[in-house]
Amino acid sequence: MTAMLIDPLSRRSFLSMAALTAAAAPFALAQAPPASNTAKPGQIPVGLELYSVRDELQGDLLGTVNSVAKMGYQCVEFYAPYYEWTTTMAKGVRKLMDDLNVRCYSTHNSTKPFLGDGLGHAVELNEILGSKYLILASVDHISGLDGWKRVAGALNNMAERLKPSGLQAGYHNHQVEFKPIGDIRPMDVLADDTAKEVALQLDVGTCVEAGANPVAWINSNPGRIRSIHCKDWAPTEGYRVLFGDGVAPWKKIFEAAESKGGVEFYLIEQEGSALPALETAKQCLANFRKLKGV
């Protein structure tokens, strides 16, 4: 199994430890959070996958989290480079989030925490951050359905290893999981062969680009879709289309996610647009609120 699970985030630039250390020093950035940071009773929180503002995060981690909170985002998801933090760094980030009334419900992970002795540090960091889910960002170089069955086995193993901590394992799809091998999709293998407590984090944009129906997927996996990456897609602009401006049927997705999917939080993800990253995040949140009527 170790040989199969390849770091899927090699295309992404890891944050330099120097930048992280420099960002950890001051905590004066925290300000009174806007009222919109607090979810109303029955309202599903909306957050930002911080890969959406990766360059800003690299230059000023705490300032970027502060800016995202001031927009009205209620939670954030840290992506793979968080694993390189010290516990002191994580405690500083948690303090800032508490001051801003922002939560971290999940982290987006490379394979490091899922292999060998890497789990302990990830658990420690996630406990400090208040996270509930360790999401495997994806895997690479999987051959055939038997390979995907082994991935499912690894997720089940991770779920068992996480039980003493109260954390849960999850998996984030890309296009390949929705492309059939013969007449079976790898994503169906992952859903069928993993324990019910393994969360299936739905990336809508990649699902739609692969030609799959996200509403049907949610409805066929009740209670498993505990978070959704709200990333849109359009034939002409790809993932650079702003959330809500692509072809994904968002109102039907929200309805299915909240009536059957078991969604606990939404995460807007944007891989780029014609606007600067922070302005993109702000506009995506405005589009989300308009679609949701909140």
Side-chain angles (χ1 to χ4, degrees):
M1 193 61 208
T2 299
M4 286 185 55
L5 292 177
I6 308 300
D7 185 349
L9 300 179
S10 57
R11 68 185 177 85
R12 300 180 177 180
S13 298
F14 274 60
L15 304 182
S16 70
M17 287 306 297
L20 284 173
T21 303
F27 292 98
L29 287 170
Q31 302 175 18
S36 56
N37 268 32
T38 303
K40 298 177 182 178
Q43 183 185 95
I44 308 298
V46 57
L48 185 69
E49 213 297 338
L50 290 173
Y51 181 68
S52 306
V53 289
R54 51 200 174 275
D55 292 338
E56 289 73 12
L57 201 71
Q58 180 175 356
D60 183 1
L61 172 63
L62 301 183
T64 301
V65 173
N66 185 69
S67 295
V68 167
K70 288 172 67 178
M71 292 176 194
Y73 281 101
Q74 296 154 334
C75 56
V76 294
E77 184 178 70
F78 293 100
Y79 69 106
Y82 88 93
Y83 184 78
E84 307 300 328
W85 295 354
T86 63
T87 55
T88 299
M89 180 69 187
K91 289 175 182 177
V93 173
R94 176 60 187 271
K95 181 184 185 301
L96 177 67
M97 291 195 302
D98 287 346
D99 289 344
L100 294 167
N101 198 24
V102 169
R103 298 290 305 276
C104 172
Y105 297 111
S106 63
T107 55
H108 206 58
N109 295 269
S110 71
T111 56
K112 285 184 179 180
F114 287 75
L115 300 175
D117 299 326
L119 181 60
H121 185 57
V123 167
E124 190 173 33
L125 295 178
N126 277 264
E127 288 179 336
I128 292 170
L129 292 171
S131 173
K132 183 179 178 181
Y133 295 100
L134 265 75
I135 305 294
L136 178 58
S138 85
V139 291
D140 204 358
H141 302 304
I142 302 302
S143 177
L145 294 177
D146 286 342
W148 288 105
K149 288 180 180 291
R150 290 192 286 274
V151 174
L155 289 167
N156 286 333
N157 178 60
M158 173 60 84
E160 286 297 318
R161 294 170 65 197
L162 285 173
K163 280 184 178 179
S165 70
L167 291 162
Q168 296 182 46
Y171 186 82
H172 175 95
N173 67 270
H174 288 83
Q175 300 95 326
V176 64
E177 291 89 345
F178 280 105
K179 293 181 178 179
I181 298 175
D183 58 354
I184 299 175
R185 300 181 303 186
M187 203 64 215
D188 292 312
V189 172
L190 293 176
D192 292 343
D193 289 10
T194 52
K196 298 301 182 185
E197 62 262 28
V198 175
L200 303 175
Q201 185 182 73
L202 174 60
D203 182 318
V204 172
T206 57
C207 173
V208 170
E209 185 188 13
N213 183 332
V215 176
W217 171 251
I218 294 168
N219 286 332
S220 65
N221 292 280
R224 301 288 303 274
I225 317 298
R226 292 178 214 136
S227 63
I228 290 180
H229 270 212
C230 296
K231 180 169 70 182
D232 220 327
W233 181 82
T236 55
E237 296 178 71
Y239 302 126
R240 289 180 62 82
V241 65
L242 289 176
F243 168 80
D245 291 343
V247 298
W250 289 109
K251 290 188 177 181
K252 292 181 179 179
I253 289 169
F254 294 148
E255 180 181 359
E258 295 175 29
S259 64
K260 292 194 70 173
V263 68
E264 298 173 10
F265 52 99
Y266 295 111
L267 292 163
I268 288 173
E269 182 187 7
Q270 191 76 23
E271 295 197 5
S273 80
L275 300 172
L278 286 171
E279 181 61 29
T280 295
K282 184 177 181 179
Q283 185 60 53
C284 286
L285 181 57
N287 290 356
F288 179 93
R289 287 172 167 167
K290 182 177 180 181
L291 282 167
K292 288 283 290 175
V294 296

